[in-house]
Amino acid sequence: MAHKTIAQLSNELQTKKISSVELTQLFLDRIKRFDKQLNSFITVTEEQALSDAKKADEERSKGNAHPLTGIPFAQKDIFCTKDIKTSCGSKILDNFISPYDATVVTRFKESNTVLLGKTNMDEFAMGSSNETSFYGTVKNPWDLERVPGGSSGGSAAAVAAYLTPGATGTDTGGSIRQPAGFCGISGIKPTYGRVSRYGMIAFASSLDQGGPMARSAEDLALLLNVMAGVDEKDSTSIDKPVPDYTQTLNNSLNGLRIGLPKEFFESGLDNEIATLIQSAIQEFKKLGATIHEITLPNSGLSIPAYYVIAPAECSSNLARYDGVRFGYRCNEPKDLEDLYKRSRSEGFGNEVKRRIMIGTYALSAGYYDTYYLKAQKIRGLIRQDFVDAFKNVDIILSPTSPTTAFKLGEKTSDPISMYLSDMYTIAVNLAGLPGLSIPAGFIKNLPVGLQLVGNFFDEARLLNAAHQYQQVTDWHTRTPEGF
Ligand code: GLN
């Protein structure tokens, strides 16, 4: 039962093959049994889960069933959950009990999903391996010596090991797609503004976007149906009708124009990954798609531009952690300055400090024009490359990451090589476009992710293409041994 997709589980609940209480207990038992190895959860909300499940069963018996009613689910620990610890993977929020729910959390509550707990993540979502978490690294279920990717590594590992059928993630530069790729699951980063950021702890506000992670594109559609939509509490959320993403999953791909950015296939790409991506392209051709070479001439500048813009925004967003209002406070401060200094230096980890320093420098008078303004101009060029490309194609296809999951500790002493693991995903955030990752094969028993990028608000088309691919392949159904 635990290996079923959300769509299948929803059917089991509807036909009363299992109750939500039983299903929830099953996942809670699996978390107890397996999470000592994986460390994918920071908090498990057992009591809450069982009471949510009971309520969901009552709602279903009254005939008030939403497809997600009674489905167990996990929230990345970046989403504020009322009366439940919300740490964002940081010591500075280790004692933080949120007084309110993020809009995404509220929406899942309204559809009566069951909260199993909060998943582990890189500290403040800064990372590509989950190794910056205050709560320790998460292990990849496909190989316990390897990283699950990051920053949504806890969500990805938990879904891959069937500790939850689905989870939320957030993606500022690749943090939904890269861990989905590394763990062999499906994940979508929606268009910037599609999903409310209210109550989603800010890293880089102009790039952050929440989205779902699950076992199939069909499940992503069910989850995005709940998450998407304008929110009066988030002025950057966009007031555009939300289609029912499940309705278009079975559309034909006949005539779909798929673009391959030549820059992404040129250098730095592992040969075996390239071969798997080529076979995926063949599948899309068989499904009726046409393939076109395109160019994203400024894509090589996306990592440098991102590593100015994201730290700049984070240095401003993280200024609120001052030891005064909430979160960690140092012991016996001498005076106010000592309180700020020590609370922050004791509360933040190294990667977060590195970013705050880079960001503060880039925004300082005298350097603002040289770094921040220039990076914003480059961002404009990168966005324009995509706008031009989408005049001729409907979807852009590429690998999600240049390699498969790397070994724990392999890149921790070399931030630049860590940053490069997002070379295919970051431009998509800079442009604000939707992108998803689905499994497209294995190399030495490690999953390989395929990225599909769509035009603004074209999530339905991405999910349709991914679903059609998953009808003719079975990579997304593979199970890591022992789970
Ligand atoms: N790995 C990137 C970073 O460290 C992206 C993280 C994210 O998407 N949250 O900034």
Side-chain angles (χ1 to χ4, degrees), residues 170-474:
T170 60
D171 192 313
T172 304
S175 281
I176 289 177
R177 291 159 287 158
Q178 184 255 25
F182 278 13
C183 289
I185 65 162
S186 306
I188 183 167
K189 177 204 100 72
T191 309
Y192 182 80
R194 182 76 294 190
V195 170
S196 167
R197 289 185 300 110
Y198 177 76
M200 189 179 106
I201 296 175
F203 158 16
S205 309
S206 77
L207 299 158
D208 300 341
Q209 184 61 197
M213 303 171 82
R215 310 214 55 84
S216 66
E218 183 183 21
D219 284 2
L220 296 181
L222 285 165
L223 296 168
L224 192 59
N225 274 352
V226 169
M227 294 174 79
V230 67
D231 176 12
E232 61 177 26
K233 295 189 185 120
D234 173 6
S235 61
T236 62
S237 70
I238 306 243
D239 192 2
K240 210 173 157 30
V242 180
D244 177 347
Y245 295 107
T246 62
Q247 289 303 308
T248 39
L249 290 173
N250 288 316
N251 284 3
S252 157
L253 300 192
N254 229 341
L256 180 80
R257 297 167 303 166
I258 295 183
L260 309 179
K262 72 175 168 56
E263 293 80 6
F264 288 9
F265 288 86
E266 266 166 3
S267 62
L269 178 62
D270 177 287
N271 273 338
E272 290 174 286
I273 294 188
T275 310
L276 285 176
I277 299 300
Q278 287 306 333
S279 348
I281 293 169
Q282 293 312 315
E283 292 297 339
F284 279 107
K285 272 195 191 161
K286 282 192 233 155
L287 288 164
T290 57
I291 307 297
H292 310 264
E293 186 180 90
I294 58 160
T295 170
L296 298 171
N298 295 292
S299 57
L301 297 173
S302 54
I303 293 202
Y306 173 90
Y307 278 100
V308 171
I309 294 168
E313 293 185 14
C314 104
S315 72
S316 164
N317 275 324
L318 271 56
R320 69 183 62 140
Y321 305 102
D322 54 9
V324 176
R325 289 161 294 181
F326 48 82
Y328 177 80
R329 175 181 296 180
C330 67
N331 269 334
E332 297 180 22
K334 282 201 304 281
D335 51 29
L336 187 61
E337 196 170 323
D338 186 44
L339 167 76
Y340 290 157
K341 271 194 189 155
R342 278 203 293 126
S343 299
R344 288 169 67 81
S345 36
E346 291 165 20
F348 288 134
N350 285 344
E351 184 62 28
V352 172
K353 286 180 192 160
R354 179 171 15 246
R355 308 246 181 145
I356 293 174
M357 282 162 66
I358 296 172
T360 309
Y361 180 81
L363 290 177
S364 56
Y367 293 110
Y368 180 90
D369 290 0
T370 321
Y371 295 113
Y372 187 70
L373 202 62
K374 196 164 192 179
Q376 288 291 19
K377 287 184 182 159
I378 293 171
R379 182 178 190 171
L381 295 174
I382 290 170
R383 187 179 187 278
Q384 192 56 45
D385 285 352
F386 280 106
V387 169
D388 293 342
F390 281 120
K391 287 180 187 145
N392 302 312
V393 297
D394 305 305
I395 277 184
I396 295 174
L397 182 152
S398 76
T400 303
S401 309
T403 65
T404 52
F406 43 88
K407 286 245 164 83
L408 289 157
E410 190 180 319
K411 294 186 196 270
T412 39
S413 56
D414 183 359
I416 304 285
S417 86
M418 186 78 87
Y419 297 170
L420 287 173
S421 71
D422 294 319
M423 60 194 280
Y424 305 131
T425 49
I426 273 184
V428 179
N429 299 72
L430 289 168
L433 294 162
L436 61 71
S437 178
I438 46 173
F442 287 81
I443 296 172
K444 299 190 190 74
N445 202 37
L446 294 173
V448 170
L450 170 84
Q451 174 174 247
L452 299 177
V453 178
N455 211 337
F456 298 102
F457 296 99
D458 218 359
E459 286 82 2
R461 200 195 297 263
L462 290 181
L463 292 166
N464 166 217
H467 179 69
Q468 290 306 306
Y469 177 76
Q470 292 184 334
Q471 300 307 294
V472 294
T473 55
D474 67 356

